Amino acid sequence: MAEYKKLTQKTLFNSWLNWFFFNGSSQSGERMQGIAFCHSMLPVIEELYKDKEEKIKALKRHLVLFNVEPQIGSVINGVTAAFEEQRANGAEIDDDTINTVKVALMGPLSGIGDTLVPGTLIPILLAIAIGITKSAGILGPVFYALVYPIVIGLSSWYLYKFGYSAGLGGIQDIMQGGKIDALTNALNVLGLLVMGALSASYINLSTAIKYTSGEMAIEFQKILDNIFPGLLSILTVVVVWYLLSVKKKSPLWVMGFLFLATFAGVVLKIF
Amino acid sequence: MFIQIALISLLAYLGAIGAPWILGTTGGFYTLGRPLVASALVGLILGDVKTALEVGILIQAMYIGIITPGAVMPFDVDYIGYITTALIILSKADPSIAPTLAVPVGLLGVTIWNIIWVINVYFAHRADGYAEKGVGSGIKAMNLGAQIVNFAMRFIPAFLILYFGRGFLQNLLNMIPPIITHYLTVLGGILPALGIGILLNMIIKDKSYFGIFILGFMLVKYLNLPIIAIAVMGVVLAIFWFKFQGGESYNG
């Protein structure tokens, strides 16, 4: 029996590096990150397949449509590298199997990745950075520009290696074990608390309605402030959220609505 | 001014979605492309960090929840960060109009992205050709080659807008009647609700979680706590949340 061809650490690192840097480079409506995925597999393919026909088949199978949240999604590149290694060593894995695995992981990992990274981690770090900016100026953006790439860079490489060593079974165990849900929910709690705080500072809506009778003037806003400070601001968020989630309007539609509603409010001297 | 504007336009390319050079999507779009980071860099280049950060805070808060699932962008935060901040500083406009100015800029960025998204199909087909011949380096070249399009489509419009737009905006702002100025100020206070709403729509699966959002809101409105204190409280809360939701076995 021939010697088992094992991918070196250097090949795996280069494969990850190609992905980390160039995952979005040639995105298109037709293949999305397909070419980038193949680019990431190049070091793996070059090392495993010396036979030209095998190499052509490998290049072609990784040029198909691929799309994932790229930072967390590096785990798929790791799993695929492991599959390619087994295939090159004679395991019964055809093109369809490898692509089925990629497609099966793409959806759930995009869901988890979008929720965790741009949906939670980025807003939390940015909210903290805004807080720092208010008191310490440029240190705010410096904080974000250092912390975010380091945290994500290390996580992305760790996830690639994890995908490679745990394989498909290992990933599915984790995704089905409920821990991801518990983690997502816990981070959502943190995210929501911070977003609520941020909204209190940056959404400002007050009413200009006044009731004047003789020398007595009642400002409606003061009454509102006594009931619940920032009531109009939080109601604005509720309206936007309602339009997006229940009415299924697009963000652009909601923006148009805010432009018109505000205009009406200003003309009628409500705001 | 030519060099400064060229530098800002270059950064607008480096922070654009898909630009790989500064640690990929992570260091590019998700770091350089964030309005807070973008505004700081514009401020340093144009020598007015204070105004830049005022603008940066406003537009960052507004677009904090923008995500790009499947690369479908509602607004292009990278263009918003660089062009809005630079236009405000160059035309000496009031930072409070930034959220409104950001709207057309963000839509222009999305239009550009949609065009790139179509042009890049060309590189996919060229890559297919290289795969047929077994030339791996050709596929790499096609993945990188798409950056020529990205650079041209990001740098050139940004440069033209900043170079010719600054005087135009200044004149425009001088002509605006007071009621419109008031309208733009009110709008600037409302628009951040959109970014927050987009985020809520994405992360709230169970409506009872909205209570936590209200709690965060009240911690600022009633107690005036700084955001870092609230973030620490959030971490404490999140750890317990994780444990009580069955995640505790993770620690043994």
Side-chain angles (χ1 to χ4, degrees), chain A residues 30-50:
Chain A
E30 189 189 302
R31 299 299 163 82
M32 305 213 172
Q33 303 155 344
I35 311 170
F37 193 90
C38 191
H39 183 188
S40 151
M41 283 300 131
L42 286 179
V44 173
I45 293 170
E46 304 275 356
E47 185 170 336
L48 292 175
Y49 301 111
K50 302 299 176 197

Side-chain angles (χ1 to χ4, degrees), chain B residues 38-161:
Chain B
S39 69
L41 292 168
V42 170
L44 288 172
I45 292 170
L46 295 177
D48 188 352
V49 175
K50 192 175 162 290
T51 311
L53 289 177
E54 267 180 66
V55 174
I57 288 176
L58 279 174
I59 51 182
Q60 185 61 75
M62 179 173 163
Y63 292 102
I64 202 156
I66 295 295
I67 47 133
T68 54
V72 181
M73 288 198 291
F75 310 100
D76 182 32
V77 287
D78 167 65
Y79 249 38
I80 287 170
Y82 288 98
I83 295 181
T84 311
T85 313
L87 277 178
I88 296 271
I89 294 177
L90 289 172
S91 56
K92 299 182 175 59
D94 193 87
S96 68
I97 68 155
T100 313
L101 182 60
V103 174
V105 174
L107 293 177
L108 172 71
V110 171
T111 310
I112 290 176
W113 172 240
N114 289 336
I115 296 171
I116 294 173
W117 185 247
V118 175
I119 295 178
N120 281 353
V121 171
Y122 165 79
F123 295 97
H125 289 271
R126 287 283 305 274
D128 286 343
Y130 285 113
E132 290 290 350
K133 291 182 218 130
V135 184
S137 58
I139 292 168
K140 180 184 174 184
M142 287 308 106
N143 196 28
L144 268 65
Q147 285 313 306
I148 298 168
V149 176
N150 204 3
F151 175 78
M153 295 290 290
R154 290 292 173 186
F155 181 87
I156 297 168
F159 186 87
L160 293 177
I161 291 170

Side-chain angles (χ1 to χ4, degrees), chain A residues 196 199-201 203-206 220-235, chain B residues 214-224:
Chain A
S199 302
S201 314
I203 303 173
N204 290 304
L205 181 61
S206 52
F220 196 55
Q221 183 60 41
K222 283 201 175 138
I223 301 173
L224 285 181
D225 283 342
N226 280 326
I227 302 170
F228 189 99
L231 184 64
L232 292 178
S233 309
I234 208 154
L235 283 178
Chain B
I214 296 179
L215 200 64
F217 190 86
M218 289 166 71
L219 288 175
V220 171
K221 284 289 183 194
Y222 282 93
L223 301 175
N224 278 316

